[in-house]
Amino acid sequence: MASIFYAHFLKNKTSAVYGCSYDNNLQLNFSRATDLKEIRKFKTSKYSISYIGNTYKNIRQDLINGLYVLFIGTPCQVSGLNNFLNKEYPNLLTIDLICHGVPSQIYLDEYIKSLNLNTQPNSLTFRGKKDFFFTLYKDNTILYSKNSDEDIFYKAFLDGLFYRENCYSCEFATSKRVGDLSLGDFWGLGDEIPFNYDKQDGVSVLLVNTEKGKIVFNEVKDIIFFEKRTLEEAIKGNEQLKHPTRKHKNYDLFLKLYSEFGLKKALEETLK
Ligand SMILES: Cc1cc2nc3c(=O)[nH]c(=O)nc-3n(C[C@H](O)[C@H](O)[C@H](O)COP(=O)(O)OP(=O)(O)OC[C@H]3O[C@@H](n4cnc5c(N)ncnc54)[C@H](O)[C@@H]3O)c2cc1C
């Protein structure tokens, strides 16, 4: 869905769009795109903190210059942008991701180092088309690839062991959203009310929160397949629409072991 919105803005409006991608040093940074070719790098979820840098300033300049701007990020980043702008811009559309928390870049760097790969990787993915694999590449060669059950960084992420402290009291983990639209994975789709279509490749959940969001949704709805479902169903499958992730029972132990023995050992011990 994210790509649908990016492409819609770039094809149909004089616009700039914003998203994040890993650079060659595997640092996750936001950047600006004005060409369709550039949006590929924004694809797929990256499960570490993304750096905003000068993005808010650049967005304000784009808005003042009259460009249509699309910003997709975590709800805290959308809220940060709204606070920074401190003004309604009709030419800005924000999409917040339903988010259960992010680990720091420091953990990611330390984890990759601890794998002792022969070559320094220069790209990383967490999600394939259908799968959940933590994969490290040097150019197009795979150096390391394990699924979310086998890779301890991925497991710690999904188990909520090592997010940033503030994620555990996130004020945006609610169905009252900060973005014009909200985007997530439709966990639990069809569990109670039948969903009569193939969901093997994954189905997005999209919440339409504002009039602006509704207008843009109406502009893309003919090029996607969508079905109206209840908000209750979305909330039921996605606890992040109700409350922040609860701290893992070994959270304190993890921090203690981390400060003594480093990340790998702390993860191994606390995820046993
Ligand atoms: C840290 C994190 C936690 C998430 N937790 C949940 C959850 O609990 N429940 C749920 O339903 N969905 C969650 N999601 C959202 C979900 O995984 C998908 O990203 C979302 O549904 C968009 O999918 P897509 O296929 O439309 O686009 P994709 O191509 O998968 O997403 C790309 C978009 O996400 C942005 N993005 C990717 N990683 C980050 C990041 N680290 N920080 C900011 N922006 C990022 C990109 O810039 C781009 O705009 C989470 C995403 C992230 C990044």
Side-chain angles (χ1 to χ4, degrees), residues 22 28 46-50 102-105 108 126 153 157:
Y22 285 109
L28 185 56
K46 295 102 185 167
Y47 295 138
S48 62
I49 184 85
S50 45
V102 280
S104 79
Q105 177 79 44
L108 180 65
F126 286 92
F153 186 92
F157 173 75

Side-chain angles (χ1 to χ4, degrees), residues 1-2 6 19-20 28 30 42-48 50 72-74 77 97-102 127 157 183-185 187 204 238 240:
M1 272 311 295
Y6 283 137
C20 63
L28 185 56
F30 264 83
F42 297 153
K43 268 181 186 278
T44 79
S45 295
K46 295 102 185 167
Y47 295 138
S48 62
S50 45
I72 306 180
T74 58
Q77 292 168 332
L97 300 172
I98 300 171
C99 173
H100 49 55
V102 280
R127 303 269 293 255
F157 173 75
L183 197 49
D185 301 314
W187 303 119
S204 302
N238 237 319
Q240 290 57 251

Side-chain angles (χ1 to χ4, degrees), residues 7 21 28 37 47 75 106 156 166 181 206 223 249:
S21 55
L28 185 56
K37 279 187 234 126
Y47 295 138
I106 291 170
N166 52 301
L181 298 166
L206 180 72
I223 55 162
K249 63 178 170 28

Side-chain angles (χ1 to χ4, degrees), residues 25 28 55 72 99 104 117 121 132 137 143 145 176 188 228 235 238 244 253 259 266:
N25 296 315
L28 185 56
T55 297
I72 306 180
C99 173
S104 79
L117 302 169
F132 287 71
Y137 309 79
L143 300 178
S145 187
K176 293 193 182 65
K228 200 170 172 181
I235 294 174
N238 237 319
L253 177 64
S259 64

Side-chain angles (χ1 to χ4, degrees), residues 104-122:
S104 79
Q105 177 79 44
I106 291 170
Y107 288 160
L108 180 65
D109 292 346
E110 191 176 335
Y111 182 62
I112 293 171
K113 215 168 157 199
S114 77
L115 295 173
N116 289 320
L117 302 169
N118 291 333
T119 317
Q120 181 63 24
N122 58 9

Side-chain angles (χ1 to χ4, degrees), residues 1 32 36 52 60 68 72 79 85 89 98-99 108 111 127 132 143-144 162 168 216 232 249 267:
M1 272 311 295
R32 175 180 186 269
L36 269 179
I52 281 289
R60 183 173 58 192
Y68 280 91
I72 306 180
S79 175
L85 295 174
Y89 285 89
I98 300 171
C99 173
L108 180 65
Y111 182 62
R127 303 269 293 255
F132 287 71
L143 300 178
Y144 173 94
F162 63 170
Y168 297 102
V216 176
E232 289 69 37
K249 63 178 170 28
L267 290 178

